[in-house]
Amino acid sequence: LPAQGVKFSQHAQDRLKARNITFSANDLANLEGAVNSVAQKGGKESLVMMGDAALVVSVKNRTVVTAMDRSQMKGNVFTNIDSAVII
């Protein structure tokens, strides 16, 4: 698959800002690698765990749909995903 950047939806950008979650260039490269791996295995909607953040990613659109930090993850049920990656 051709390498394409991973985008963040407006909703995800708002969540990242509100929850004070930031990513380094290396984090973003790791996220892109994770999305590429899921795409190669046929995943469509994936939960990506990165450090203290959980991201729901539309693999087809290569877009982060939403994001939460560790405190919001506790007790949360993730639906409409078909894969998970921990990086």
Side-chain angles (χ1 to χ4, degrees), residues 8-83:
F8 290 82
S9 70
Q10 187 61 53
H11 175 79
Q13 290 177 45
D14 293 345
R15 293 294 175 267
L16 291 169
K17 187 175 182 181
R19 295 167 177 164
N20 213 15
I21 301 169
T22 59
F23 298 114
S24 68
N26 189 48
D27 291 335
L28 294 175
N30 288 338
L31 174 59
E32 187 167 340
V35 172
N36 288 339
S37 294
V38 172
Q40 288 173 348
K41 294 182 186 272
K44 293 176 178 52
E45 299 285 328
S46 187
L47 172 66
V48 179
M49 306 288 290
M50 292 181 57
D52 286 338
L55 310 172
V56 176
V57 181
S58 168
V59 177
K60 177 183 172 187
N61 299 327
R62 301 186 64 79
T63 303
V64 176
V65 178
T66 193
M68 62 190 68
D69 64 19
R70 187 168 296 279
S71 66
Q72 279 100 27
M73 281 186 252
K74 191 167 189 160
N76 199 357
V77 175
F78 294 93
T79 59
N80 299 325
I81 61 169
D82 58 18
S83 55

